[in-house]
Amino acid sequence: MIQEVVILNIIPEKNAVFLKDFKKASLFISKIEGYIKHSLSQCLEDENKYFLYVEWKTLKSHTVNFRESGNYQSWKALLHKYYDPFPEVAHYRMVFQSKF
């Protein structure tokens, strides 16, 4: 499993419409082969900052299956206009998990 982590900085005053469009865009990502799940969290200290977390079966699931799809173009059209600056995407693999 691959963990995609993205910090999204949203243009001030656009939070409500961003969240509305994010819910629509969620349908596009969830249809991709290799997609597992995703979540979006809002920062408590900065209401314009969000943490996007996506789980994929493989790195290719994100970088090829999603990024090279028509669904990504729809995702991009809905969401990319809200970012300032454009986010950096990072991929991780779990190396430790607490049993507590």
Side-chain angles (χ1 to χ4, degrees):
M1 176 188 67
I2 300 299
Q3 301 161 320
E4 175 190 355
V5 174
V6 188
I7 301 297
L8 304 173
N9 291 287
I10 304 305
I11 298 168
E13 310 300 325
K14 299 283 185 179
N15 288 320
V17 69
F18 164 72
L19 289 173
K20 180 180 170 188
D21 282 345
F22 185 85
K23 288 177 185 175
K24 290 178 192 174
S26 290
L27 297 173
F28 297 118
I29 195 172
S30 65
K31 294 179 181 180
I32 301 301
E33 181 182 343
Y35 164 86
I36 299 171
K37 67 180 180 178
H38 72 286
S39 64
L40 182 70
S41 301
Q42 187 175 30
C43 180
L44 296 176
E45 292 81 17
D46 179 351
E47 68 179 12
N48 300 310
K49 186 182 286 189
Y50 294 82
F51 174 81
L52 172 61
Y53 176 81
V54 186
E55 288 183 6
W56 300 98
K57 289 183 180 176
T58 65
L59 181 60
K60 181 183 171 194
S61 300
H62 178 230
T63 59
V64 176
N65 297 0
F66 182 51
R67 287 274 180 92
E68 294 182 7
S69 73
N71 283 329
Y72 176 70
Q73 295 306 314
S74 298
W75 168 281
K76 181 178 173 179
L78 274 173
L79 300 179
H80 284 200
K81 62 188 170 222
Y82 297 112
Y83 308 147
D84 185 30
F86 195 80
E88 180 180 325
V89 175
H91 299 93
Y92 297 84
R93 63 178 172 81
M94 189 176 303
V95 295
F96 174 81
Q97 184 171 357
S98 171
K99 300 288 184 193
F100 303 109

